[in-house]
Amino acid sequence: MSWIPFKIGQPRKQIVSKTVERDFEREYEKLQKVEDQTKKLHKDMKKSTEADLAMSKAAVKISGDLLSNPLCEQDLAFLESMTALDTAMKRMDAFNQEKVNQIQKTVIDPLKKYSSVFPSLNMAVKRREQALQDYKRLQSKVEKYEEKEKTGPIMVKLHQAREELKPVREDFEAKNKQLLDEMPEFYNSRIDYFQPSFEALIRAQVQGGFSSELVFLPAPRAARQTDPLSALHVVRPP
C-alpha cells in the first residue's frame, strides 16, 4: 500500500481539518506496515516449512542409500544399525509432514487470509480519496458563485451547486468516519488474531525434538482464530 493523494486545486474553505488528515494518514500508515510484515512472514513461513520437509526427505534418502549398501549383506550389526536409522528417518519424515500440515492450517493459512483484507482496504481508501476530491471540486464551485454578483441567474446556479454539494459532502463524511473508526479497530485486532497462530507455531517447534520416541504434535487450538474481516466491515469482500 502507498499513500498517494490526488492533486487538485484546493478550495479556500478548509473542508477537512489538518488534525483529521493527520489521524487518517497515521492509521493508514500503520496498516501499510502490518500488510508488509504479514506478507513477509507468510513468505518466510512457507520457505521454512519447505526447507524442513526437504531436510527430512534428504535424511530418508541417505538412510535408504546406506541400507542398500553392500556392507549390510556382509555385516549383521551394520545392517541392524542402518535398519534402525532408516526406520527413525522415515518416522521423522512422517512427523515433519504432520508438523508442516499443522503449521499450514494454524499459521500459513491464517496469514494468507489476513493478507487478503488489504486489497479491499486499499480500495476503500481510494474511494474515500475520490469522494474527498469530488467534495473539494464542488466546494470550489460553490465558492466561485458566492463571490459573483448576486444576480438572478447566479443565485440559481449557486443554489444548484449547493444542492449538488450536499450529498457529495455527506458521502465523504460517511466514508471518512467509517475508516477512521474501523482502521484502528482492525489494527488492534491483529494481536488477538495472530496469538493462537504463534502459540501453535511454538508448540510445533518445542515438540519437534526427535529422540527415542516420536512425539506427534497435538492439534493446536485453531478454533480460537478470529476473523479479521469482522474488524473492518468496510473492506469485507463480497
Side-chain angles (χ1 to χ4, degrees):
M1 296 189 295
S2 60
W3 177 253
I4 306 177
F6 295 87
K7 301 294 184 180
I8 68 167
Q10 298 293 319
R12 281 177 289 278
K13 179 181 177 181
Q14 185 174 340
I15 61 179
V16 182
S17 72
K18 292 182 180 180
T19 299
V20 170
E21 281 297 285
R22 281 198 300 268
D23 289 346
F24 185 89
E25 292 181 21
R26 182 184 65 249
E27 295 301 327
Y28 188 47
E29 183 178 354
K30 285 160 61 177
L31 289 177
Q32 287 180 300
K33 292 179 180 178
V34 171
E35 180 187 21
D36 292 341
Q37 292 165 354
T38 302
K39 287 181 177 179
K40 185 177 185 302
L41 183 57
H42 180 263
K43 182 178 179 180
D44 290 345
M45 285 301 308
K46 288 190 68 175
K47 285 184 177 180
S48 174
T49 53
E50 289 168 0
D52 202 7
L53 283 179
M55 180 274 296
S56 63
K57 294 295 183 186
V60 169
K61 186 177 185 308
I62 291 171
S63 65
D65 290 343
L66 290 172
L67 189 58
S68 63
N69 191 291
L71 282 175
C72 289
E73 299 177 4
Q74 305 169 14
D75 189 328
L76 182 59
F78 185 73
L79 173 62
E80 291 177 350
S81 297
M82 292 305 99
T83 300
L85 176 64
D86 187 59
T87 300
M89 292 303 98
K90 287 178 179 178
R91 294 174 66 195
M92 181 180 72
D93 183 49
F95 167 76
N96 271 344
Q97 184 62 62
E98 175 65 18
K99 182 180 72 172
V100 167
N101 290 341
Q102 292 292 348
I103 291 175
Q104 179 72 39
K105 293 176 183 178
T106 60
V107 182
I108 296 176
D109 287 348
L111 283 168
K112 183 178 179 179
K113 183 179 181 182
Y114 197 85
S115 293
S116 71
V117 174
F118 293 101
S120 297
L121 170 62
N122 290 336
M123 186 58 64
V125 171
K126 288 180 180 178
R127 287 195 295 266
R128 182 260 188 194
E129 183 61 29
Q130 185 58 60
L132 176 58
Q133 304 317 309
D134 292 341
Y135 183 8
K136 290 180 178 180
R137 175 177 56 82
L138 291 173
Q139 180 61 40
S140 294
K141 184 177 179 180
V142 168
E143 291 175 357
K144 181 183 71 173
Y145 287 127
E146 287 176 341
E147 293 171 355
K148 291 182 178 292
E149 184 180 354
K150 300 301 188 288
T151 63
I154 292 299
M155 294 303 294
V156 170
K157 291 181 179 179
L158 175 59
H159 176 73
Q160 291 174 342
R162 286 172 174 170
E163 289 298 306
E164 188 179 359
L165 172 63
K166 183 178 178 181
V168 173
R169 180 179 63 243
E170 291 174 349
D171 179 57
F172 166 73
E173 290 175 347
K175 286 181 169 64
N176 185 61
K177 183 179 185 304
Q178 189 169 20
L179 280 168
L180 282 174
D181 288 345
E182 296 187 354
M183 283 195 300
E185 181 182 353
F186 179 59
Y187 178 79
N188 292 333
S189 73
R190 74 198 188 286
I191 297 176
D192 289 338
Y193 181 77
F194 284 120
Q195 184 174 351
S197 292
F198 295 148
E199 288 179 356
L201 178 61
I202 292 170
R203 291 175 63 192
Q205 299 302 329
V206 168
Q207 297 187 34
F210 193 80
S211 57
S212 59
E213 291 293 329
L214 184 64
V215 182
F216 284 95
L217 175 67
R221 290 172 292 174
R224 288 178 51 193
Q225 295 284 358
T226 58
D227 185 352
L229 302 182
S230 65
L232 193 61
H233 308 295
V234 71
V235 301
R236 183 184 295 275

